[in-house]
Amino acid sequence: MTISALLESKLRAATASFGPVEARVQAATDARFGDYQTNIAMVLAKQQRANPRQVAQQIIDALDVAEMCAPLEIAGAGFINFRLKPDWLAQHFAQFLPDPRLGVPQPEQTKTLVIDFSSPNVAKPMHVGHIRSTFLGDALSRIAEFIGHRVIRDNHIGDWGTQFGMILLGWKTELNQQALAADPLLEMERIYKRISARCKEDPTTLEAAKLELVKLQSGDTENLALWHEMIRLSQVQFDTVYRRLGVRFDVTLGESFYNPQLKDVVVQLRERGIARESEGAWCVFSDQSGKPEDDPFLIKDKDGWRDNPALVQKSDGASNYTTTDLATIEYRLKTWSPTEIVYVTDGRQQLHFRQLFAIFRRWHSELAATVRLAHVWFGAVLGDDGKPFKTRSGDTVKLVDLLDEAEERAFALVTEKNPESPEADRREIARVVGLGAVKYADLLPNRQSDYVFAWEKMLSFQGNTAPYLQYSYVRIRSIFRKAQELGTVTDEKGEVQLAEPAELSLAKKLLQFGEILPQVLDDYRPNLLATYLYELASTFHSFFESCPVLKSEGPTLRTRLALCDATARVLNQGLGLLGIEVPERM
């Protein structure tokens, strides 16, 4: 049990006479206010219209924490501050040391999460716009799995739509076979752009593209074969990028997989009165069951509230993203019975998912209480000018080009620091550092915030960056290499003694790993883990500066080596959960 969970259990016992209340304890952000805090006295005082400091004293009188805490303090309007006793902390830390889960508790209830992320489009190269969905989805999957949940990673690729009529026409009339062999996605993107531009200027070309699409949708043998080849070539390059990033999927199902279900979805929505006809199309309108400001099917303008329906079938009989996504939810429920379905996309799709979830709840009201649908949306990646990140020529930044540049920039830094190292070693370190820097810079901010892509900042060995955390790990590993060279021997099973303030601070921070990790899934925020790892590394460096390790002896040496080893393990594990590797040397 984590320290916060242990304190919360004791709080629940102490406040039982007040009636049901959620007992929450958090690590104190300022050491002046102890190690942990709770505002439960203020919550109860508000409910009972009592003095919060008096309620706090009543709670303290009933709390059984004398074994683990120094006398409790009441601060401010009624906060209760907890200070852990060093001896108790040392005993708790000793139990943490052999734990392969590093203090992360098993979940009370195991969940099944379907996490939908990355989702590139067939026949187009992956670009900078894919990094946030890919990195966030991968990190959330890793964290949920480590905690103990079942995770299905689903890559819902875009392999259907009107653009394929243009690509098919371009394939038949404009394709450069040599270019296709050299870089299939680049060549398919080129012919798409060329035909798309011609369609805008030439009605004959537009009609020809529509004809190719109709043939594809009708099952034409030639067009189906070409379409399958486009998917195959695209997937080969997608998989190359994913292997490079260390990202994997359990399922890759394109939009086309759900085509056979779309007509039935629309029929059910029509029969249940959820969708109704409007100008030849079928749409879902507001059911007027909630407040207008919370209703995704209403929009307000200068004349007041008006309809903002979701289209589920166009007037020509074609379906759209909403129909496909409804069919996808139904398939996932039947196939995996998930507790949660998580969509990781950019913030521009918020309305789509609000409408999607609302339609699903009306369509399958019996399942609405059993599955959580979550849209994990994120902000944009910006350039120095505050606009969406582009190349100097104004083109979209290709993901492969960005990763190549990250590794080259890291290689230059590594070469500057260790010019005598073999090139192969420098290249491998540069790969780990460069890719880690890009991932960490993306995961560090609040996911709903935009952030500026800045090479110098993300590759710096100082400040809150991946290279700084990786260097912290390497520095610790070097301590153990030095200990081996010196022949330092210690009894690893001996008693742990925490005496110095820096030792106590580091032990407390290490024990918070098991508290932070479950919090990440509460609102799908890997930045909480990134911030914790930076705080841990900073706490370790303060410890290392004030507490000599290899110059100490006996129980002190054993304790400090244990603190070093635990820090390295948590940094390694924590960065790994963010999808970031650590080198042994830098």
Side-chain angles (χ1 to χ4, degrees):
M1 186 178 291
T2 62
I3 295 173
S4 61
L6 184 57
L7 289 172
E8 285 172 355
S9 69
K10 292 182 176 294
L11 263 180
R12 283 192 292 272
T15 58
S17 61
F18 289 91
V21 63
E22 186 177 16
R24 296 300 300 269
V25 175
Q26 293 182 324
T29 55
D30 190 328
R32 292 177 301 173
F33 303 121
D35 300 317
Y36 288 85
Q37 287 183 320
T38 181
N39 68 344
I40 192 171
M42 291 182 283
V43 174
L44 289 171
K46 186 176 181 180
Q47 291 178 359
Q48 301 193 1
R49 298 182 180 180
N51 183 307
R53 290 182 66 90
Q54 291 179 353
V55 173
Q57 188 58 57
Q58 287 179 259
I59 295 171
I60 289 174
D61 292 341
L63 264 171
D64 179 21
V65 292
E67 181 185 0
M68 61 186 295
C69 295
L72 304 185
E73 303 169 353
I74 302 173
F79 287 99
I80 299 175
N81 295 340
F82 302 89
R83 297 182 188 275
L84 301 173
K85 290 181 175 179
D87 290 346
W88 183 90
L89 182 68
Q91 293 173 9
H92 199 72
F93 182 65
Q95 296 171 7
F96 165 89
L97 288 173
D99 183 7
R101 291 179 57 80
L102 298 169
V104 177
Q106 291 283 352
E108 293 182 7
Q109 292 184 326
T110 301
K111 300 177 182 178
T112 296
L113 292 85
V114 176
I115 303 183
D116 178 330
F117 65 102
S118 195
S119 305
N121 290 316
V122 164
K124 293 182 180 179
M126 294 179 70
H127 53 77
V128 69
H130 290 105
I131 65 174
R132 299 213 77 179
S133 177
T134 304
F135 296 164
L136 275 165
D138 180 53
L140 290 171
S141 299
R142 290 169 181 263
I143 292 166
E145 210 163 50
F146 181 79
I147 288 173
H149 300 301
R150 177 190 180 210
V151 177
I152 293 97
R153 299 162 169 84
D154 192 343
N155 196 5
H156 187 77
I157 62 173
D159 66 351
W160 200 250
T162 56
Q163 72 272 24
F164 283 98
M166 299 179 193
I167 301 171
L168 283 165
L169 179 61
W171 190 289
K172 294 178 179 181
T173 61
E174 302 283 345
L175 188 68
N176 181 319
Q177 289 290 351
Q178 289 183 329
L180 184 71
D183 193 329
L185 289 182
L186 204 60
E187 176 60 8
M188 285 189 278
E189 184 184 46
R190 183 191 70 81
I191 62 176
Y192 167 70
K193 288 181 177 179
R194 189 175 180 88
I195 298 299
S196 178
R198 283 171 53 188
C199 285
K200 294 176 183 177
E201 301 172 356
D202 180 14
T204 304
T205 302
L206 180 59
E207 286 303 313
K210 288 181 178 179
L211 179 61
E212 296 294 346
L213 180 63
V214 170
K215 288 169 64 179
L216 172 64
Q217 294 173 337
S218 301
D220 177 78
T221 304
E222 180 188 14
N223 280 14
L224 276 175
L226 292 176
W227 174 70
H228 281 298
E229 179 65 2
M230 293 173 193
I231 295 173
R232 186 190 70 80
L233 291 170
S234 299
Q235 194 63 55
V236 167
Q237 291 202 276
F238 295 159
D239 289 344
T240 299
V241 172
Y242 292 136
R243 279 194 299 271
R244 185 175 182 180
L245 293 172
V247 173
R248 69 175 180 85
F249 293 93
D250 301 298
V251 180
T252 298
L253 295 175
E255 295 167 3
S256 63
F257 176 81
Y258 303 97
N259 282 346
Q261 304 172 44
L262 302 187
K263 288 184 180 179
D264 184 57
V265 169
V266 176
V267 168
Q268 289 190 46
L269 294 176
R270 289 166 57 176
E271 290 179 346
R272 299 185 188 191
I274 298 170
R276 68 173 190 258
E277 191 174 4
S278 176
E279 298 179 10
W282 286 87
C283 307
V284 176
F285 289 82
S286 170
D287 62 359
Q288 307 295 327
S289 62
K291 296 179 180 179
E293 56 268 28
D294 297 328
D295 194 326
F297 304 103
L298 296 175
I299 191 169
K300 191 175 185 179
D301 58 21
K302 59 183 178 62
D303 298 320
W305 293 100
R306 60 180 177 82
D307 287 326
N308 183 38
L311 188 68
V312 293
Q313 183 175 287
K314 301 176 185 178
S315 57
D316 63 2
S319 300
N320 63 357
Y321 288 124
T322 300
T323 329
T324 301
D325 283 348
L326 287 168
T328 304
I329 293 176
E330 192 169 51
Y331 173 82
R332 289 167 173 167
L333 289 171
K334 290 178 180 178
T335 306
W336 299 299
S337 301
T339 317
E340 298 180 22
I341 303 177
V342 181
Y343 298 83
V344 187
T345 79
D346 68 68
R348 294 173 296 178
Q349 298 189 45
Q350 289 179 76
L351 177 60
H352 167 74
F353 283 102
R354 288 180 63 215
Q355 291 185 329
L356 175 71
F357 297 166
I359 295 171
F360 173 76
R361 285 191 291 268
R362 287 158 65 177
W363 180 28
H364 285 296
S365 57
E366 74 283 2
L367 296 175
T370 64
V371 60
R372 177 185 182 186
L373 302 177
H375 180 210
V376 177
W377 63 270
F378 50 81
V381 183
L382 307 177
D384 292 333
D385 57 0
K387 298 178 181 179
F389 190 39
K390 302 279 187 180
T391 64
R392 291 183 179 180
S393 61
D395 294 330
T396 301
V397 178
K398 303 290 191 295
L399 183 53
V400 170
D401 294 340
L402 184 142
L403 299 180
D404 287 344
E405 185 170 355
E407 291 190 26
E408 286 303 317
R409 285 175 176 266
F411 181 71
L413 290 172
V414 172
T415 299
E416 182 181 338
K417 290 179 177 293
N418 299 296
E420 73 287 348
S421 296
E423 181 176 347
D425 292 348
R426 284 181 280 134
R427 288 287 178 191
E428 175 58 16
I429 294 171
R431 181 190 68 80
V432 173
V433 171
L435 298 183
V438 174
K439 287 187 178 185
Y440 190 81
D442 190 82
L443 293 168
L444 176 62
N446 181 318
R447 61 174 169 80
Q448 294 176 348
S449 302
D450 298 340
Y451 78 92
V452 175
F453 194 93
W455 284 116
E456 289 187 8
K457 181 179 179 181
M458 69 175 60
L459 284 166
S460 174
F461 283 83
Q462 296 179 337
N464 196 353
T465 67
Y468 171 75
L469 297 179
Q470 290 167 325
Y471 170 72
S472 300
Y473 173 82
V474 169
R475 187 177 190 182
I476 297 170
R477 298 308 305 156
S478 70
I479 294 172
F480 287 93
R481 285 195 294 271
K482 185 70 176 294
Q484 192 171 23
E485 292 172 5
L486 295 174
T488 302
V489 179
T490 180
D491 179 8
E492 295 181 359
K493 297 182 180 180
E495 183 182 358
V496 173
Q497 298 178 356
L498 300 172
E500 296 295 325
E503 295 172 344
L504 291 163
S505 294
L506 183 55
K508 292 171 189 175
K509 183 57 70 174
L510 286 163
L511 290 168
Q512 289 173 15
F513 183 63
E515 300 169 354
I516 290 292
L517 215 55
Q519 292 177 24
V520 172
L521 294 186
D522 288 345
D523 197 26
Y524 313 104
R525 296 188 184 276
N527 63 299
L528 296 178
L529 175 57
T531 300
Y532 164 79
L533 293 174
Y534 173 66
E535 292 174 352
L536 173 62
S538 300
T539 304
F540 169 77
H541 286 291
S542 297
F543 155 80
F544 189 72
E545 293 300 320
S546 61
C547 296
V549 177
L550 297 181
K551 293 182 180 179
S552 56
E553 298 177 345
T556 302
L557 173 62
R558 179 173 57 247
T559 297
R560 291 178 181 177
L561 284 174
L563 285 164
C564 289
D565 180 63
T567 303
R569 289 169 59 207
V570 172
L571 285 174
N572 188 8
Q573 183 67 69
L575 287 170
L577 293 175
L578 297 177
I580 298 171
E581 298 176 64
V582 290
E584 287 298 312
R585 301 174 187 269
M586 289 177 75

